[in-house]
Amino acid sequence: MKPNIFIVGPSGTGKSSSLRNLNPAKTIILNTEQKALPFRGAGNFKLNVPIPDLKTFDFQLDRSILTEKADITIIESFTSLAEQVYTEYGRIKGYDFWDIYKKEMMRILHKSKNTTKYVVMTGIDQALEGNGGVEERFIAMDGSLKKKVEKEFVIVLFTDCIIDENGDPEYIFITNKQAGYENHPCKSPKGMLPKKMPNDLNEVIRLAEEYYNPTTEEKVKTEEPTK
């Protein structure tokens, strides 16, 4: 089985562009945003499927997980997918709506697990403000799943854009909690990824493959010395 991945961050910080180095022939993009991908060469991703509603999404997700033609399924994005679920059941009022909404979102999240494919979701984050400013950031979600989506994923990458000394933007992934990102929703298995890295999903997956399937030489490096 493969680890599921969530890429989260504010708009414009490189979530969608992190897909740019994936193999287009082996990547299915379930485009719930229904808009063009924002990077050079995006037209090479022929398996970029517009998703107008929840029924289409369910069919295409099941198909993408079962097919042997692709290794990676991208849900671009979880945020707009949640809006589609909301629209589908919006006619239901009160507590019944929120109960169904939670069940539907959990059903979708569970499909990202226990597969032989990488399932990756992108989405915006939400900030909890306190007296001292932003106290916590988390994957944007309504209802009782707020601040609980992260636990459904093995890897959560937070996107950030840092302006360098020349005034140029540097787009990065934050892979674990660290100085300056203590309250951000980022995590990854210990030793898998550097604390900060370029926003390149292909490199994340390469490192994940090495981590879970080390060569004999890599195994020797990670073994503890015999006492």
Side-chain angles (χ1 to χ4, degrees), residues 177-190:
K177 295 184 186 300
Q178 56 194 276
Y181 297 93
E182 295 90 344
N183 298 320
H184 289 60
C186 41
K187 64 177 181 177
S188 60
K190 183 178 180 181

Side-chain angles (χ1 to χ4, degrees), residues 3-6 105-106 109-110 112-113 121 139 145 148-156 187:
N4 57 352
I5 302 172
F6 203 110
M105 295 309 302
M106 287 304 300
L109 290 171
H110 284 157
S112 72
K113 306 177 184 180
M121 300 189 188
I139 295 170
L145 286 178
K148 295 179 180 178
V149 175
E150 293 84 352
K151 72 180 181 63
E152 303 298 330
F153 290 82
V154 177
I155 301 172
V156 179
K187 64 177 181 177

Side-chain angles (χ1 to χ4, degrees), residues 10 15 19 41 44 84 88-89 93 97 108-109 113 119-120 130 141-142 145 149 153 159 163-165 167 193 208 210:
K15 295 185 295 297
L19 314 180
N44 294 325
Q84 289 183 356
E88 179 71 18
Y89 296 100
K93 304 299 181 183
F97 166 78
I108 292 167
L109 290 171
K113 306 177 184 180
V119 178
V120 183
M141 186 74 241
D142 291 324
L145 286 178
V149 175
F153 290 82
T159 55
I163 306 301
D164 65 20
E165 57 186 13
L193 305 172
E210 288 185 356

Side-chain angles (χ1 to χ4, degrees), residues 116-212:
T116 58
K117 312 289 178 65
Y118 281 96
V119 178
V120 183
M121 300 189 188
T122 68
I124 62 172
D125 70 322
Q126 187 174 344
L128 177 65
E129 299 278 352
N131 293 332
V134 175
E135 293 183 348
E136 187 177 7
R137 306 193 80 97
F138 44 88
I139 295 170
M141 186 74 241
D142 291 324
S144 60
L145 286 178
K146 182 178 289 188
K147 298 199 287 185
K148 295 179 180 178
V149 175
E150 293 84 352
K151 72 180 181 63
E152 303 298 330
F153 290 82
V154 177
I155 301 172
V156 179
L157 305 169
F158 186 84
T159 55
D160 201 0
C161 179
I162 300 173
I163 306 301
D164 65 20
E165 57 186 13
N166 298 317
D168 297 320
E170 178 187 4
Y171 295 94
I172 61 172
F173 282 148
I174 305 300
T175 67
N176 274 294
K177 295 184 186 300
Q178 56 194 276
Y181 297 93
E182 295 90 344
N183 298 320
H184 289 60
C186 41
K187 64 177 181 177
S188 60
K190 183 178 180 181
M192 176 187 284
L193 305 172
K195 290 183 177 180
K196 297 180 183 180
M197 61 185 293
N199 71 328
D200 184 349
L201 179 58
N202 191 58
E203 179 65 6
V204 171
I205 290 176
R206 185 187 71 80
L207 292 173
E209 284 294 302
E210 288 185 356
Y211 185 85
Y212 285 111

